[in-house]
Amino acid sequence: EVQLLESGGALVQPGGSLRVSCAASGFTFGSYAMSWVRQAPGKGLEWVSTISGGGGSTHFADSVKGRFTISRDSSKNTVYLQMNSLRAEDTALYYCARRNSAMMGFFFDYWGQGTLVTVSS
Amino acid sequence: QSVLTQPPSVSGAPGQRVTMSCTGNRSNIGAGYDVHWYQQLPGTAPKVLIYGNTNRPSGVPDRFSGAKSGTSGSLAITGLQTEDEADYYCQSYDSTLSRVVFGGGTKLTV
């Protein structure tokens, strides 16, 4: 059974940093790209970042580019999102999701339960 | 402002059929990229409902169906049940933005 378990969410002051993690199990971790998708309170879904299965390719939304980094540790089957220079508008529930390929494009076939990041003074 | 446009809300009575739309442009759905649909029940994580325009993952009832035409996708739900009350999001890929894009979501009230 595929499982994604996020952790590390917290209350952080504006300008601060935080690292959230996603522990994966139930599938061959290195065979899949992994993504972070966030949802601000009462709002819709926003793709944040994706890392390739091997970790050599990363992509970021414009809203976080230069502030967030994504990485993965194949020995721990874990993907990380390092968030720096946090802003109030980064407040959201951060979901880890497994990316799968469609005939044309990508979709997210498994999601974690989310970890809450609150940026406030 | 979401790249994909969805109606904010739709409603229907139990047993009825409802449809919801997802409108894009020539850089995403119109460029041939697939449309995918997610169901988000209250207080839970999104779950894929339809992928690749028309495909249902195992476990998703055949009351749910997807279609795509031109620059739009659509989700139909037949035999509405109260437990279908949820937010529904469409998703595709945009070649101009070079990223995954979501619709703003449609709240279904049964």
Side-chain angles (χ1 to χ4, degrees):
Chain A
E1 179 194 5
V2 172
Q3 289 193 329
L4 301 173
L5 185 61
E6 302 95 334
S7 61
L11 171 62
V12 186
Q13 291 192 336
S17 298
L18 188 68
R19 188 180 80 163
V20 293
S21 305
C22 170
S25 61
F27 64 99
T28 304
F29 185 63
S31 295
Y32 291 88
M34 298 296 294
S35 297
W36 290 94
V37 177
R38 69 184 180 184
Q39 186 170 34
K43 302 296 184 182
L45 302 172
E46 179 190 14
W47 169 77
V48 173
S49 181
T50 296
I51 185 167
S52 61
S57 177
T58 60
H59 304 274
F60 298 91
D62 287 344
S63 57
V64 307
K65 202 171 292 183
R67 301 188 296 122
F68 289 13
T69 58
I70 189 171
S71 60
R72 62 193 296 160
D73 184 337
S74 59
S75 68
K76 296 181 179 178
N77 282 7
T78 298
V79 60
Y80 304 97
L81 185 67
Q82 176 68 44
M83 302 179 285
N84 299 328
S85 302
L86 282 161
R87 307 166 180 167
E89 54 264 35
D90 295 318
T91 294
L93 190 59
Y94 284 73
Y95 292 106
C96 171
R98 190 178 83 168
R99 196 187 78 173
N100 209 331
S101 297
M103 285 293 290
M104 282 287 290
F106 311 104
F107 67 105
F108 305 107
D109 60 355
Y110 289 94
W111 298 64
Q113 84 292 344
T115 189
L116 182 62
V117 174
T118 303
V119 183
S120 174
S121 55
Chain B
Q1 191 84 356
S2 301
V3 175
L4 304 179
T5 301
Q6 297 182 249
S9 63
V10 298
S11 64
Q16 284 189 335
R17 178 182 186 268
V18 295
T19 62
M20 57 189 77
S21 60
C22 174
T23 303
N25 57 41
R26 288 180 292 180
S27 294
N28 40 68
I29 299 173
Y33 290 102
D34 290 335
V35 181
H36 319 287
W37 292 89
Y38 302 89
Q39 178 192 58
Q40 187 174 34
L41 296 168
T44 70
K47 176 188 94 166
V48 62
L49 203 61
I50 298 288
Y51 67 94
N53 305 315
T54 60
N55 303 292
R56 281 186 312 275
S58 60
V60 173
D62 60 7
R63 301 187 296 105
F64 296 90
S65 62
K68 175 188 166 185
S69 179
T71 58
S72 294
S74 62
L75 174 70
I77 310 173
T78 59
L80 267 180
Q81 300 179 3
T82 54
E83 53 261 40
D84 297 333
E85 243 186 34
D87 293 322
Y88 293 83
Y89 294 91
C90 63
Q91 176 249 306
S92 187
Y93 183 83
D94 192 287
S95 58
T96 297
L97 299 173
S98 297
R99 64 173 174 87
V100 161
V101 290
F102 284 99
T106 296
K107 182 175 183 60
L108 169 63
T109 301
V110 180

